[in-house]
Amino acid sequence: MKIIITKDYQELTERASQIVISLMEKNPQAILGLATGSTPLGLYARLVEKYKKQVISFSQIKTFNLDEYCNIPKLHPQSYYYYMHWHLFNHIDIKPENINIPKSGGDDYDVLCQDYNEKLKENIIDLQILGIGNNGHIGFNEPGTPFDKETHIVELADATRQANKRFFNSIEEVPQYAITMGINNIMQAKKILLLASGLAKADIMKEVIFGGVTEEVPASILKTHSDVTIIIDNEAASKLK
Ligand code: F6R
């Protein structure tokens, strides 16, 4: 695992965008795995800026998002569909047919999981961007999720619903279930970039970096992947010293 500690969030964003841009320059048809949440927002803003300056193009890029809440309309302001369009897709030249976000509507969730999983098997992700939950989750793979899981429905942990309630009016509004790529899917990516920012991530980053590989800390599996870069700002790295 390569670990890059940056002085602040801005530098984290800069370093992360350099990695993504350099991949896109080398491979204009790259397949990107994307995360939502607060952490990649700076990265997406930077990618939009570089697209507007014609440094990069998304015209042949394909994307696969990690997860989506269940039972939330696509156009709900807190759906990950809405988030991705608002922060990235509406501002770049990506083809709509190249955007993949787990579907969470309809009633047959087994079929939705299977469809997403099949698409993932046909499209090996070149670079997977990850954030990390305060409890060590990646995607919505909560502590205790078997490492061999593929796309599945998850009941969100209380800690995750509490952490995400800042985006909703109340805890009751935070969805209880989500559809997520499994850890097994995430581990198929050729390269993984994990971003962690802020004091709230300090304890879990210490556990991920110094602790053992255990299903109780889903992100700990990343230590067994051959090409992982962690970019972590000073606050999130404050317990590593
Ligand atoms: C989002 C996702 C989650 C977040 C994690 C950190 O698609 O898969 O694992 O990356 O919850 O969220 P933030 O960045 O808001 O701290």
Side-chain angles (χ1 to χ4, degrees):
M1 255 180 356
K2 183 173 171 195
I3 300 174
I4 300 171
I5 300 180
T6 64
K7 68 174 189 304
D8 54 20
Y9 179 70
Q10 205 175 330
E11 192 190 343
L12 174 150
T13 288
E14 188 51 42
R15 297 295 292 265
S17 61
Q18 280 162 5
I19 293 175
V20 179
I21 290 165
S22 113
L23 171 79
M24 288 175 63
E25 283 171 344
K26 272 190 227 123
N27 179 6
Q29 300 184 345
I31 303 182
L32 302 178
L34 300 179
T36 56
S38 312
T39 316
L41 284 175
L43 167 64
Y44 296 150
R46 185 55 60 94
L47 294 178
V48 169
E49 195 184 307
K50 294 286 178 186
Y51 163 71
K52 288 193 169 149
K53 289 186 178 154
Q54 299 183 342
V55 176
I56 47 173
S57 164
F58 292 80
S59 62
Q60 299 176 75
I61 295 285
K62 261 194 195 177
T63 61
F64 280 84
N65 265 80
L66 282 167
D67 42 23
E68 177 61 286
Y69 289 121
C70 288
N71 300 323
I72 197 167
K74 261 186 179 176
L75 295 181
H76 186 290
Q78 297 310 331
S79 80
Y80 289 165
Y81 178 94
Y82 188 93
Y83 167 114
M84 287 310 306
H85 285 78
W86 182 262
H87 294 291
L88 184 64
F89 299 147
N90 287 349
H91 313 287
I92 57 175
D93 61 344
I94 191 161
K95 296 196 176 88
E97 62 269 29
N98 286 341
I99 296 172
N100 297 277
I101 302 174
K103 291 201 180 79
S104 77
D107 33 32
D108 200 337
Y109 278 104
D110 285 346
V111 173
L112 295 178
C113 290
Q114 217 177 319
D115 285 355
Y116 205 65
N117 220 36
E118 271 163 26
K119 273 196 193 166
L120 286 168
K121 289 195 170 150
E122 287 157 12
N123 293 276
I124 302 301
I125 290 175
D126 291 294
L127 174 64
Q128 175 66 56
I129 293 152
L130 294 177
I132 181 169
N134 300 351
N135 62 2
H137 74 212
I138 47 177
F140 271 139
N141 293 282
E142 300 287 22
T145 307
F147 286 149
D148 61 1
K149 272 271 190 194
E150 297 188 324
T151 309
H152 63 286
I153 300 294
V154 60
E155 180 168 7
L156 297 176
D158 284 345
T160 300
R161 294 185 68 234
Q162 287 295 343
N164 288 4
K165 85 167 184 237
R166 66 193 195 277
F167 301 116
F168 293 84
N169 294 320
S170 67
I171 186 74
E172 289 73 33
E173 278 188 20
V174 185
Q176 287 182 323
Y177 293 90
I179 176 168
T180 183
M181 273 190 207
I183 291 179
N184 190 16
N185 302 115
I186 294 173
M187 291 294 283
Q188 304 306 316
K190 293 184 194 157
K191 183 177 181 64
I192 296 179
L193 180 58
L194 175 78
L195 308 177
S197 166
L199 280 178
K201 303 290 165 70
D203 286 323
I204 196 65
M205 287 315 296
K206 182 178 173 194
E207 236 176 294
V208 169
I209 291 169
F210 295 122
V213 175
T214 160
E215 288 176 351
E216 289 315 309
V217 181
S220 65
I221 188 70
L222 299 177
K223 290 185 189 185
T224 67
H225 189 283
S226 60
D227 189 355
V228 174
T229 300
I230 295 183
I231 310 184
I232 174 169
D233 68 10
N234 236 330
E235 288 190 350
S238 57
K239 301 224 167 130
L240 301 183
K241 296 149 195 169

